[in-house]
Amino acid sequence: MTNEEIIRAKKQVEKIKILEKKLAAKKEYLMNKVHLCFDEGKTDTTQAEDYILNYFWQHAYENYIDGGCMSNDLVAIEHRFLYESSFFAKLFADYKIDKDGAALDFGCGSAKYTEFFAKNFKKVIGVDISESTIEKHKQNNKLDNVEYICANILDCKIKEKFDFIYDGGIFTYIKDDLLVKEIIKKLTSMLKNKNSIFLVKESIAEHKRIDYKSINYIAYYRTIKDYSNFINWDEVKINHVKQLGWFRKYCNIYPEKLDEFYKNPLCIDKVVPNYNKNGLSSCFFIAKGK
Ligand SMILES: C[S@@+](CC[C@H](N)C(=O)[O-])C[C@H]1O[C@@H](n2cnc3c(N)ncnc32)[C@H](O)[C@@H]1O
């Protein structure tokens, strides 16, 4: 490199720095504008919320290792999988689900759970709105009994019947109660028989519905009562999978609990509620076929 080249590079770097400052100011201005509009609550922002949500899910799996839980924390990801897969295994045993049957994983995301279901059912369909994720699953799929479909739950055209249908956190992203109710009705009608199970896992607010709106992420946290109004659930079980980050803190202080967790991941059911009385939780709703 010559001296002239170094000086030219230095000049360019200074210009870029000025541009960066200008862009950062512009970015803050635009973000504040959107947040003010959301906070003011005078405009019906449904269309913008749909756009933000769709953008978020189309990119979630590029930005996070576990896009489904929006986390890059490997330990928390491992804990969540251990906990939830134990929960599913117990559910299949308790409800004597037909393992020769078919399962539908709606909002399959990273497909970690779809693949787990593939060990428990003869056929599994994983569906998600995220095009890049589904494309990746289609290309990498090594399991004969798994099929992936990219679709929006709002216009799902699947006609088959299933022994197990799982909604792994979609309703939190649908604003309209009537739509959620309609989808639940449709999904329950896709259950094969009275031994089939519809399992819903959603994030819930403790006291009253919270509509969280920001320029990057939107979520509609309903209460258990809200969801209870949508269907007569056979069982409702609050758990605290979302707080596994918190669970890590707990295990740092009480490391002897971690051994217990690895032996029986469901043991955290007894511990976590003591520390999370007022926040958001995860909730499993279980309904049986007719
Ligand atoms: C909270 S994540 C959970 C993912 C996965 N079930 C898990 O537990 O890791 C919700 C998933 O639902 C998908 N999703 C959101 N809205 C959807 C819609 N309207 N139709 C289909 N999938 C949707 C997202 O792309 C995302 O993968």
Side-chain angles (χ1 to χ4, degrees), residues 57 61 68 80 107-109 113 128-129 151-153 168-170 173 201:
W57 286 118
Y61 295 88
R80 177 167 95 98
C108 65
Y113 295 88
D128 204 283
I129 201 174
N152 189 327
I153 199 163
I170 296 188
Y173 307 105
K201 189 193 79 180

Side-chain angles (χ1 to χ4, degrees), residues 2-241:
T2 63
N3 275 284
E4 284 76 20
E5 282 172 321
I6 294 171
I7 292 167
R8 217 178 304 133
K10 167 70 179 158
K11 281 183 180 169
Q12 274 180 356
V13 166
E14 292 314 320
K15 271 190 192 158
I16 290 169
K17 275 193 198 161
I18 293 169
L19 264 179
E20 275 175 349
K21 264 194 190 164
K22 273 192 191 158
L23 284 174
K26 177 90 181 163
K27 184 178 159 196
E28 201 182 336
Y29 170 82
L30 291 172
M31 287 176 68
N32 287 343
K33 198 171 165 181
V34 171
H35 285 150
L36 266 189
C37 177
F38 280 153
D39 291 344
E40 193 184 39
K42 282 187 187 160
T43 313
D44 177 0
T45 52
T46 307
Q47 202 183 340
E49 290 165 47
D50 283 350
Y51 175 83
I52 292 171
L53 265 176
N54 187 51
Y55 185 92
F56 180 84
W57 286 118
Q58 294 307 334
H59 296 274
Y61 295 88
E62 294 157 20
N63 300 327
Y64 300 104
I65 298 169
D66 184 348
C69 205
M70 293 153 254
S71 176
N72 286 319
D73 179 335
L74 286 172
V75 179
I77 292 167
E78 186 206 0
H79 285 175
R80 177 167 95 98
F81 183 70
L82 280 173
Y83 176 85
E84 291 191 344
S85 50
S86 305
F87 179 88
F88 297 138
K90 186 168 182 316
L91 181 95
F92 298 154
D94 287 352
Y95 281 80
K96 300 187 178 58
I97 303 253
D98 181 6
K99 294 193 171 186
D100 272 337
L104 176 63
D105 182 6
F106 233 118
C108 65
S110 64
K112 222 170 164 178
Y113 295 88
T114 323
E115 289 176 6
F116 174 79
F117 298 145
K119 291 186 197 140
N120 291 276
F121 293 93
K122 207 166 175 182
K123 187 183 172 194
V124 184
I125 301 182
V127 186
D128 204 283
I129 201 174
S130 170
E131 287 171 28
S132 54
T133 309
I134 290 294
E135 200 42 50
K136 202 172 79 200
H137 296 332
K138 280 183 180 170
Q139 278 171 18
N140 299 338
N141 186 15
K142 293 191 177 63
L143 301 169
D144 292 339
N145 62 338
V146 177
E147 184 191 338
Y148 292 102
I149 298 173
C150 182
N152 189 327
I153 199 163
L154 303 180
D155 41 49
C156 149
K157 301 217 168 26
I158 298 168
K159 294 269 182 290
E160 295 163 59
K161 299 266 180 188
F162 296 88
D163 299 271
F164 175 65
I165 298 180
Y166 179 50
D167 151 44
I170 296 188
F171 300 147
T172 302
Y173 307 105
I174 298 175
K175 186 176 188 173
D176 185 350
D177 282 355
L178 284 176
L179 264 182
V180 173
K181 222 171 154 175
E182 219 174 273
I183 295 166
I184 290 179
K185 202 170 156 200
K186 186 171 174 191
L187 289 178
T188 41
S189 76
M190 288 160 72
L191 290 173
K192 211 178 259 175
N193 55 42
K194 61 181 173 37
N195 295 322
S196 318
I197 293 287
F198 177 42
L199 177 70
V200 168
K201 189 193 79 180
E202 292 295 341
S203 301
I204 51 154
E206 204 70 30
H207 303 296
K208 67 178 177 75
R209 175 180 168 140
I210 300 168
D211 284 3
Y212 175 82
K213 292 192 256 180
S214 81
I215 195 166
N216 292 317
Y217 182 67
I218 307 274
Y220 312 108
Y221 301 108
R222 296 181 174 86
T223 62
I224 293 189
K225 202 162 165 240
D226 292 333
Y227 279 109
S228 301
N229 288 335
F230 298 150
I231 191 172
N232 261 340
W233 304 92
D234 296 292
E235 200 179 303
V236 175
K237 184 179 185 306
I238 303 174
N239 81 342
H240 300 270
V241 174

